[in-house]
Amino acid sequence: MNSYEFTIVATGLPIDNDDWLDRFYEAGCDDALVGLQRGLFVLEFDREANTLIEAVESAHADVRRAGATIVRIEPDSLVSASDIAERAEVSRQAVSLYVNGERGEGFPTPVACVSGLRPLWKWSEVAAWLHAAGKIDHSIVEMAQLLDRLNAEAHSDNRPARAEVLAPVVVESEYVTTEFYTRRKIDRPKLRVEPPRGAARHRQGFDLRRTVSAQQMVQ
């Protein structure tokens, strides 16, 4: 069983007391570092599961079981050229060649900030292109599609009249390297929480992960 890291941003629970801590914990989010940031709950999961998809979907269900409304699941679905280079483990120069059509054809067009200095692409489209070019494995494409689907469902849930659930994800296999999605907490910065006014006690994130005593470790 592997450990996978990802972030779920949620809302929909009262923040004027600490009841939301118990609700997340009792719903199964005891493997998350959770805090308040700009009025939103930010849950950084470090979840054990057989696959990345199983980890994300189970955490998605746990957050909803707590009564919260999911805003989005990260890593972000919109990426810059630098983000593409990092996720695909290629050079920034190689990405520039892809974008300009100098290496391969049909690279996706930006979907945001097109006229700016830092255009953004939809990661699921880029991942599909990179897979077709033999640069990444299918699993990264499936993860991108999974996040698109779950985020679309969350967006639909927040509408007054909910649309039908989207079609399921299409593909999956083992990614060549899982460091992008599977990083140790020790290698990541602590979650910076910005509390709402009048709630200074929430200045830091709350670690809902279970602690193991010295006696338990000996046993």
Side-chain angles (χ1 to χ4, degrees), residues 153-176:
E153 290 176 359
H155 178 69
S156 180
D157 284 344
N158 295 333
R159 293 178 180 174
R162 185 183 175 189
E164 292 297 322
V165 176
L166 297 183
V169 179
V170 179
V171 289
E172 144 99 298
S173 61
E174 190 63 24
Y175 187 32
V176 175

Side-chain angles (χ1 to χ4, degrees), residues 16-63:
D16 53 353
N17 54 51
D18 290 340
D19 290 348
W20 51 272
L21 280 171
D22 294 332
R23 295 182 68 166
F24 281 126
Y25 185 88
E26 293 170 359
C29 303
D30 54 343
D31 54 354
L33 178 66
V34 58
L36 284 169
Q37 188 169 0
R38 298 179 178 89
L40 296 170
F41 300 108
V42 179
L43 297 98
E44 288 198 333
F45 281 92
D46 187 355
R47 175 150 296 199
E48 291 188 352
N50 293 320
T51 66
L52 178 59
I53 292 175
E54 179 183 315
V56 173
E57 290 187 327
S58 64
H60 181 274
D62 289 344
V63 173

Side-chain angles (χ1 to χ4, degrees), residues 7 25 43 57 59 61 63 74 103 120-121 191 198 209 216:
T7 300
Y25 185 88
L43 297 98
E57 290 187 327
V63 173
E74 300 176 347
R103 183 179 295 175
L120 299 175
W121 287 261
L191 177 65
R209 293 170 293 179
Q216 291 174 314

